[in-house]
DNA sequence: ATGAAAGCGCTAACAC
DNA sequence: GTGTTAGCGCTTTCAT
C-alpha cells in the first residue's frame, strides 16, 4: 500500500503538505509548483487515500448502509441495490448492503453498520408503502426508497404510481381497446400503489373519452381465488384490454387467455407492471410492460442521502447512462420528503 | 461512541489491559478479577470495538467483498448475497456487495474494495460455469460461488448438478411417468449445468429401469425456436413427464401444455429447476421444483473464505436455520477447490 | 508556504 | 499482572 508518507518522502515535502494537496485544500496555501509535483508523483505511484484511516480523524467513512428485507425473495431488490451502488460509486461512496430476512435481526444489523461507521442509511421496501422507520435510524441521515415515512419527516423516493396507471391505460386506449379492464390488488400494504394506479387508469379512460365502469375492475388478493375472479371477468365482461397491477396478475390473465384460446397481441392486449423479465424475453413478446423504476429509486435515494451528508459532494454529478428513460432531473432533484420518479418506458410493440 | 479509553478510565486500568481482555488475550496475563471488571463495565456501557480503528493496526477489517454481475437482472443473486451475508454476520464479518453491471468497471470496483480494506473476495456467477478469475483478485483470498476456476487453483462452491437431474427425474419416475422428457439447454456457458443434469437424468432413468431415449431430449437455445421445439416434442413423443433445465424451459412446457389442453399435475408431470417463485406460489401449485441452492452457495462460500482468512474463526459455527434442507455438512465442509452442495428439496405435492 | 506535532481508537512489543 | 510506548494513515492546528 502506498501512503502519504511515501509520496511525501519522494517529493521531499511533509505529509501535511501532501494531505492539503490531495484534499484540494492547497488553494493559496501551497506553492502551485509543489502542489503539481505532489499530484504528479501521487498519480505516478497510483496513490489512493485510505478512507478508513481518514475516517478515524474525520468521523466520515463515505460508506452508505443499505437496508432491506426480501432481497432473496423478490427479483426487484437487485435493481435498487445496483442503482444505489451506481450513485454511490459516482459520488465516491461505498455501499454496504444488509438484508434483514434470513433470520438476521434488523436492529443488530443497524448496530453493525453503525460500528462500521456508515455515514447514513438507505431504507428500502420492495413495494411502495407507508412505513415506520426503525428508531435506531433516527439519529442518522436516512432516506427511504419505494416507501414513505408514516410521520412524513424522512425524505423518500417513490414511483409515480399515477403515471404508471395512466401510461399503461393510455397505451391500451391508443391500441384501440374498447373495454379495458384493471386487474388490481387490494392486499394490505400496497394501498399507495393500488390507489395511484387505479386513479391513473381512471384518468386515462376519461381522457380517452371512455366511461369508467366498475365492473371492469377486479381486485385480486388471494392466489387461490385469483384465477377464478379473472376467469369470471373474462366471461362476464369480455374485455379486450387488460392493465395488470403486477406480474402475478399478468400471469392470471395470460393463463385465462390461453384457456379461452385467445392470443395476446391479437385478440386481446395486455399491459402489465413489472412482470418477470423472462416472460417478455423468452415467451410472450406481445406483452407490454411498465417497469417500475427500481434502479432509479435506488440511484436517486443514494444521491439524496449523500446530499444530506455532504451537500457539496453532489455538485457535478452526471446521471447514469442506464436511466436514459427517466425524465430530466437535475442534480438537486430528490426534493425533500417525496420525490416522484417515473420511468416513461411503456414499451411499444 | 464509547471507547476503550473510556472503559479503562472507569475501571481504573490501562487501555492495553482493556484491549487484552476484549480480545480474549487475557488468559494467564490479566488478573481474572480485573478482567471480570473490565468485561462488566464494557458490557454495561455497551462497548463495541471499532473495527476500522483496529484495522489500522491489524490490517484486517473483517470485511468481505462480494462481486457479481447480473444482480439486477436475475432473481437469484439475492439468495446468494443473503447466504453470504448470513455467514459473514455469524462469523463477525461484514459484506460489501458490488455488482459490475450498470456500467461499472470490474477492475475499478475491485480497487475500491481493496481501498476499503476487504480481507478477501467472493466472486459469484449466476449460473454454474467455468470462469476466469480477474487477475486483480489473485493476490487476495478468493472463493468462487456457482462457478469453478478454469485453472483449478481457486476454491469454489457449486451445486451438485448431477443430483439435481437425478432427483428431479427420479421424482417423475416415482410419480409413474412412462415417457420422461428432458428440456435442456445448450447455450454456451452453462455446459457444467447442462451435462451434469443430463447425466443425472440418464442415471435416474437407468435406475428406474427405463431406457434412455435421445428423442425425448430437446436442447433449447434460442427463445424464438424454443416454443416450436417443445411443441414438436409434445406432438412427436407425447411425453407424460418433463424435467426442465430452468424457469424459461418450464414456461415453454407450460405454454405448450395449455395449448394442448393438458393440465399439469393431472395429464402430465413437470419438474422444473429454479423457476420463478411466482409460478408455484400463485398459479401452478402442481409444478414441482428443484431449487438451486443459491443461499447455501453464498453461505458456504463465505464460510470457506473466512476460513482462508482466519482459520480459527470458523470453529463453533452453527449452520443457518434457513438451510435445514441441505445435507449435514460439518464446519470443515467446503473442501478446497470444489465443494458439492445440494438442496435435496424436490418438493412433493 | 511549509513542517512539526498531536491525536482519532486500537494493538502489541516491551518494561517494570 | 499491568502500564508505557510507539505507531497504523490520515487531518488539522499551530509555529515558523
Amino acid at each position: 500500500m502506498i501512503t502519504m508518507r511515501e509520496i511525501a518522502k519522494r517529493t521531499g515535502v511533509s505529509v501535511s503538505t501532501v494531505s492539503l494537496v490531495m484534499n484540494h485544500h492547497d488553494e493559496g496555501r501551497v506553492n502551485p509548483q509543489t502542489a503539481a509535483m505532489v499530484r504528479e508523483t501521487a498519480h505516478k505511484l497510483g496513490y489512493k487515500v485510505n478512507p478508513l484511516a481518514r475516517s478515524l480523524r474525520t468521523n466520515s467513512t463515505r460508506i452508505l448502509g443499505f437496508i432491506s428485507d426480501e432481497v432473496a425473495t423478490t427479483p426487484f431488490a437487485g435493481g435498487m441495490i445496483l442503482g444505489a451502488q451506481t450513485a454511490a460509486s459516482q459520488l465516491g461512496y461505498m455501499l454496504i448492503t444488509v438484508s434483514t430476512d434470513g433470520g438476521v435481526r434488523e436492529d443488530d444489523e443497524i448496530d453493525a453498520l453503525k460500528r462500521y461507521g456508515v455515514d447514513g442509511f438507505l431504507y428500502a421496501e420492495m413495494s411502495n408503502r407507508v412505513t415506520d422507520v426503525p428508531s435506531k435510524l433516527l439519529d442518522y441521515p436516512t432516506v427511504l426508497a419505494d416507501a414513505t415515512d408514516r410521520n412524513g419527516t424522512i425524505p423518500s423516493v417513490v414511483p409515480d404510481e399515477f403515471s404508471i396507471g395512466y401510461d399503461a391505460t393510455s397505451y391500451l386506449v391508443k391500441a384501440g381497446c374498447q373495454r379495458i379492464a384493471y386487474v388490481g390488488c387490494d392486499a394490505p400494504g400496497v394501498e399507495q400503489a393500488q390507489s395511484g394506479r387505479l386513479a391513473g387508469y381512471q384518468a386515462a379512460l376519461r381522457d380517452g373519452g371512455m366511461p369508467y365502469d366498475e365492473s371492469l375492475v377486479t381486485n385480486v388478493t388471494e392466489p387461490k381465488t385469483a384465477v377464478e375472479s379473472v376467469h369470471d371477468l373474462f366471461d362476464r365482461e369480455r374485455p379486450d384490454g387488460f392493465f395488470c397491477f403486477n406480474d402475478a396478475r399478468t400471469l392470471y390473465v395470460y393463463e385465462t387467455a390461453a384457456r379461452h384460446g385467445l392470443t395476446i397481441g391479437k385478440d386481446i392486449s395486455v399491459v402489465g407492471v413489472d412482470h418477470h423479465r423472462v416472460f417478455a424475453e423468452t415467451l410472450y413478446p406481445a406483452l407490454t410492460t411498465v417497469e417500475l423504476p427500481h434502479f432509479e429509486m435506488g440511484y436517486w435515494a443514494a444521491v439524496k442521502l449523500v446530499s444530506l451528508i455532504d451537500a457539496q459532494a453532489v455538485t457535478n454529478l452526471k446521471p447514469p447512462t442506464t436511466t436514459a428513460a427517466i425524465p430530466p432531473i437535475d442534480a438537486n432533484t430528490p426534493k425533500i420528503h417525496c420525490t416522484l420518479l417515473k420511468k416513461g418506458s411503456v414499451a411499444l410493440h
Side-chain angles (χ1 to χ4, degrees), chain A residues 252-272:
Chain A
Y252 304 146
V253 170
Y254 189 79
E255 157 79 8
T256 309
R259 295 283 166 198
H260 279 73
L262 299 171
T263 301
I264 292 174
K266 195 168 129 260
D267 307 310
I268 61 172
S269 297
V270 178
V271 178

Side-chain angles (χ1 to χ4, degrees), chain A residues 105-307:
Chain A
R105 288 228 339 270
E106 187 171 74
D107 277 359
D108 291 347
E109 289 299 319
I110 295 175
D111 283 341
L113 286 171
K114 286 185 176 177
R115 230 175 300 132
Y116 277 89
V118 296
D119 293 344
F121 290 92
L122 260 12
Y123 191 76
E125 298 280 359
M126 285 308 134
S127 160
N128 186 1
R129 62 184 76 234
V130 174
T131 196
D132 289 305
V133 179
S135 56
K136 289 222 172 206
L137 298 185
L138 295 180
D139 53 346
Y140 273 68
T142 298
V143 174
L144 291 179
D146 210 357
T148 47
D149 174 30
R150 192 178 313 282
N151 301 320
T153 56
I154 312 280
S156 66
V157 180
V158 295
D160 180 351
E161 305 289 0
F162 179 89
S163 295
I164 287 169
Y166 189 88
D167 290 353
T169 310
S170 298
Y171 173 79
L172 292 167
V173 171
K174 284 193 208 105
C177 297
Q178 298 292 321
R179 301 184 56 68
I180 303 175
Y182 173 49
V183 185
C185 178
D186 55 4
V190 298
E191 292 83 3
Q192 306 292 308
Q194 164 69 5
S195 64
R197 292 176 202 177
L198 180 59
Y201 163 78
Q202 292 169 327
L205 286 182
R206 184 176 2 88
D207 292 356
M210 303 174 66
Y212 167 61
D213 179 357
E214 260 193 42
S215 51
L216 276 164
V217 173
T218 184
N219 290 316
V220 174
T221 322
E222 291 275 301
K224 278 180 273 183
T225 58
V227 182
E228 266 172 63
S229 29
V230 176
H231 217 278
D232 192 50
L233 180 67
F234 261 77
D235 289 338
R236 212 179 55 226
E237 303 293 336
R238 299 270 157 201
D240 55 2
F242 290 85
F243 165 44
C244 303
F245 180 84
N246 67 1
D247 55 350
R249 276 138 197 90
T250 309
L251 256 182
Y252 304 146
V253 170
Y254 189 79
E255 157 79 8
T256 309
R259 295 283 166 198
H260 279 73
L262 299 171
T263 301
I264 292 174
K266 195 168 129 260
D267 307 310
I268 61 172
S269 297
V270 178
V271 178
V273 176
D274 241 0
H275 57 239
H276 288 287
R277 189 169 290 253
V278 69
F279 296 161
E281 274 178 7
T282 68
L283 192 53
Y284 312 144
L287 282 178
T288 304
T289 88
V290 178
E291 260 185 70
L292 285 179
H294 290 109
F295 182 97
E296 290 77 5
M297 284 192 279
Y299 184 87
W300 290 111
V303 172
K304 178 68 196 170
L305 179 56
V306 172
S307 82

Side-chain angles (χ1 to χ4, degrees), chain A residues 68-79 101 125-127 276 294:
Chain A
S68 83
D69 61 352
E70 297 188 69
V71 283
T73 47
T74 89
F76 307 124
D101 35 2
E125 298 280 359
M126 285 308 134
S127 160
H276 288 287
H294 290 109

